[in-house]
Amino acid sequence: MSQTVDRALSILPLLARGPADLGQVADELGVHKSTALRLLRTLHEHGLVHRQQDQRYRLGARLFALAQEAVENLDVREIAHPYLAALNERIGHTVHLAVYEEGEVLYIDKVESRYPVRMYSRIGKPVAITVAAVAKLLLADLPEPERRAVAAKLDYPPYTPRSTPNAAAFLKELATVREQGWATDLGGHEESINCVGAPIRGADGRVVAAMSVSAPNVVVTAEELLTLLPQVRRTADAISREYSGTAPTKDNG
Amino acid sequence: MSQTVDRALSILPLLARGPADLGQVADELGVHKSTALRLLRTLHEHGLVHRQQDQRYRLGARLFALAQEAVENLDVREIAHPYLAALNERIGHTVHLAVYEEGEVLYIDKVESRYPVRMYSRIGKPVAITVAAVAKLLLADLPEPERRAVAAKLDYPPYTPRSTPNAAAFLKELATVREQGWATDLGGHEESINCVGAPIRGADGRVVAAMSVSAPNVVVTAEELLTLLPQVRRTADAISREYSGTAPTKDNG
DNA sequence: CGTGCACGTTGCAGGTTGTGCAACGCTCAT
DNA sequence: ATGAGCGTTGCACAACCTGCAACGTGCACG
């Protein structure tokens, strides 16, 4: 829409491929060297490109700083909420959103049928970390040493006969979850409650949050709940796209 | 230098602070809404900004992709070499450059007085990981669980009486190195050789490489070698600035 | 159910601003 | 010493960006 800006921005992916000098940039843009110079100057003033010793141009530190700042100011809950509400609207069961932080997994949002309960920002309730579907999803994505360290330090309370008994079983379960890209909790926390969950990923592919749908046995059986898995996964994927800033898809899940 | 591009780029830091709608962007830029719209459109076409459900604008995924691609295409060795050569020119001793990769520390460049030896790209010689100054610097920056895991798996060969004896001593040494921001190897690998080293950091502050200066006892004592530490650190810092794309400082020292 | 407001969007005329050209200085290799 | 290659600068032209005003839409209000 704006020729000048369009040209200037076209320089960025060009430089991402590696350093280039003025002539190369001008050629690839199809403009005169002096034009390329002015564009590069402007980009340089904003710190987006950096001039190295040999005078060639490269992407600059500001780019990284911007990306980092943007990530820090992203609020998963704010972005996810409409999707969670829409899913809840459709299937009626309770929907949870959780994040991992410093060895703990915390609920940061929850939508119940008819009773939307807003929980406070980052300070939610700690999750039953050894059994909850969201906890498995979040821990499964940790780098191997940290995952191992966390698993070793946990207690494994026998909430029910189906609770995760120990670290070895937990790590095995995490491997499965990591593999298949979704998780369940079938009566592992409370005998009569089942959950299915899916991960929400950031632009770099790392899991930034996890969501789940929970329902008591008396309403739907575990098998029935599992039929909702595709919807849960699609919702999680939609949130991931929105969160990571990928081109939108109207599909809310 | 270019007003249009200048305005367009000014939008980025603005959006990094959080989502904003058209009016806010126009106001903060001090331009008409229609102007802001066109700029945002152009940024959007390039994927640098993303439009979320509520129509507000945010930084987009392309920004992260660019930053990542740029980092991947950065070659520490290429950037560092002139600095290493300059330092070597001044002080005469051997200068090393090393990186950490998959549990190993590898030399990727080396400049000897009068005998510049170019080593092959990424495939260099593994370092005596338990004693070398560069190894300490690189391992000291690893996340705690990985650092611990690596230290536990290593052998601790008694090259000399001053070699690091075991994992506990090594981890303690790494803590010190991490604290002080530089490292030494005083006769830990070969009785008569001393080294001082400093870390090279990327835009995010993580250590991406380490450099060191080595000299035999017969040429300079350990105390004399330590007087070179400020020069080594300044060189490492200069490389860090260049590598991370920060505004340049003419000081190569 | 109508009405007004707020917001995003569009076409247009005017002139600011970006463009390409040509010439200059510099470094480096011949 | 000399020329090639590169980055850089001033200038005249007109292309492109700008702000305005008007339109469409969704939403909250009476």
Side-chain angles (χ1 to χ4, degrees):
Chain A
M1 277 259 112
S2 164
Q3 190 189 63
T4 317
V5 178
D6 186 51
R7 284 173 172 168
L9 296 182
S10 301
I11 294 179
L12 298 179
L14 197 153
L15 291 184
R17 302 204 308 262
D21 61 27
L22 181 59
Q24 295 170 22
V25 172
D27 283 350
E28 298 221 36
L29 278 186
V31 299
H32 197 274
K33 278 190 303 179
S34 59
T35 303
L37 178 65
R38 274 185 294 263
L39 297 177
L40 282 166
R41 278 240 179 87
T42 311
L43 289 167
H44 184 81
E45 278 176 12
H46 284 259
L48 292 182
V49 309
H50 169 71
R51 197 139 198 208
Q52 43 184 30
Q53 282 198 319
D54 57 5
Q55 305 237 44
R56 288 186 302 166
Y57 293 94
R58 252 183 36 208
L59 295 188
R62 194 73 231 260
L63 199 72
F64 310 108
L66 279 176
Q68 198 174 333
E69 193 181 348
V71 169
E72 284 168 3
N73 288 341
L74 272 188
D75 187 350
V76 208
R77 208 190 38 150
E78 187 188 349
I79 291 173
H81 192 79
Y83 292 91
L84 303 184
L87 181 64
N88 169 74
E89 186 75 23
R90 186 142 17 105
I91 65 179
H93 308 306
T94 299
V95 180
H96 281 285
L97 182 69
V99 295
Y100 171 83
E101 218 163 63
E102 304 268 340
E104 276 191 334
V105 172
L106 306 172
Y107 286 129
I108 58 172
D109 202 1
K110 175 182 182 180
V111 187
E112 287 186 274
S113 188
R114 299 167 171 268
Y115 306 104
V117 176
R118 289 250 7 228
M119 303 173 69
Y120 245 166
S121 160
R122 295 258 149 186
I123 34 172
K125 195 170 147 201
V127 173
I129 195 169
T130 60
V131 294
V134 288
K136 294 174 187 172
L137 290 161
L138 291 164
L139 294 180
D141 186 63
L142 292 179
E144 197 269 344
E146 188 166 0
R147 187 167 66 225
R148 201 168 269 283
V150 170
K153 280 183 195 139
L154 289 177
D155 287 334
Y156 292 85
Y159 305 108
T160 79
R162 299 203 215 159
S163 297
T164 309
N166 53 47
F170 192 46
L171 285 171
K172 196 177 165 196
E173 171 77 357
L174 292 187
T176 306
V177 167
R178 190 185 173 84
E179 185 74 22
Q180 68 193 6
W182 51 274
T184 60
D185 164 22
L186 302 178
H189 185 41
E190 295 183 36
E191 189 68 65
S192 63
I193 306 268
N194 301 315
C195 310
V196 294
I200 291 160
R201 299 174 186 278
D204 55 358
R206 293 287 305 272
V207 173
V208 296
M211 62 174 291
S212 70
V213 169
S214 312
N217 259 325
V218 293
V219 178
V220 292
T221 65
E223 289 78 31
E224 286 167 342
L225 187 62
L226 277 174
T227 64
L228 299 178
L229 177 61
Q231 290 189 62
V232 176
R233 297 187 76 181
R234 264 185 287 139
T235 303
D237 289 347
I239 298 173
S240 297
R241 280 192 293 274
E242 175 84 32
Y243 180 82
S244 62
T246 309
T249 309
K250 290 300 175 190
D251 176 13
N252 283 23
Chain B
M1 277 259 117
S2 163
Q3 192 189 61
T4 315
V5 178
D6 187 51
R7 285 174 171 168
L9 297 182
S10 300
I11 294 179
L12 298 180
L14 196 152
L15 291 185
R17 302 204 307 264
D21 61 25
L22 181 59
Q24 295 172 19
V25 172
D27 283 351
E28 298 221 37
L29 278 185
V31 300
H32 196 274
K33 278 190 302 181
S34 59
T35 305
L37 178 66
R38 275 184 293 263
L39 297 177
L40 281 166
R41 276 237 180 89
T42 311
L43 290 167
H44 183 81
E45 277 176 12
H46 284 258
L48 292 181
V49 307
H50 169 70
R51 197 140 198 209
Q52 43 184 28
Q53 283 198 318
D54 57 5
Q55 303 237 37
R56 288 187 302 167
Y57 293 94
R58 253 184 34 207
L59 294 188
R62 193 72 230 257
L63 198 72
F64 309 108
L66 280 176
Q68 197 175 334
E69 192 181 350
V71 168
E72 282 168 4
N73 288 342
L74 273 187
D75 187 349
V76 208
R77 206 191 39 153
E78 187 188 348
I79 291 172
H81 192 80
Y83 292 90
L84 303 183
L87 180 64
N88 170 73
E89 186 76 22
R90 186 144 15 105
I91 65 179
H93 307 306
T94 299
V95 179
H96 281 284
L97 182 69
V99 294
Y100 171 83
E101 218 162 63
E102 305 266 341
E104 278 192 334
V105 173
L106 306 172
Y107 287 127
I108 57 171
D109 202 3
K110 176 181 181 181
V111 187
E112 288 187 274
S113 190
R114 301 169 170 265
Y115 306 105
V117 176
R118 288 278 304 271
M119 303 173 68
Y120 244 165
S121 165
R122 297 255 148 187
I123 33 171
K125 196 172 149 199
V127 173
I129 196 171
T130 60
V131 295
V134 288
K136 295 174 187 173
L137 290 160
L138 291 164
L139 295 181
D141 186 63
L142 292 180
E144 196 270 343
E146 186 166 0
R147 189 168 64 225
R148 198 170 273 282
V150 171
K153 280 184 195 137
L154 288 176
D155 287 332
Y156 292 85
Y159 304 109
T160 79
R162 299 202 216 160
S163 297
T164 309
N166 53 47
F170 193 44
L171 286 171
K172 196 176 162 197
E173 171 78 356
L174 293 187
T176 306
V177 167
R178 189 185 173 85
E179 185 75 22
Q180 68 193 6
W182 51 273
T184 60
D185 164 22
L186 303 178
H189 185 42
E190 295 185 35
E191 190 66 68
S192 60
I193 305 270
N194 301 313
C195 311
V196 293
I200 292 159
R201 300 176 185 275
D204 55 359
R206 294 285 306 272
V207 173
V208 296
M211 61 173 292
S212 70
V213 169
S214 314
N217 260 324
V218 293
V219 177
V220 291
T221 65
E223 289 78 32
E224 287 169 339
L225 187 60
L226 278 174
T227 63
L228 299 178
L229 177 60
Q231 291 188 63
V232 176
R233 297 188 76 181
R234 262 186 288 138
T235 303
D237 290 347
I239 298 172
S240 297
R241 280 191 293 274
E242 176 86 32
Y243 180 81
S244 62
T246 309
T249 310
K250 291 301 180 193
D251 175 14
N252 285 23

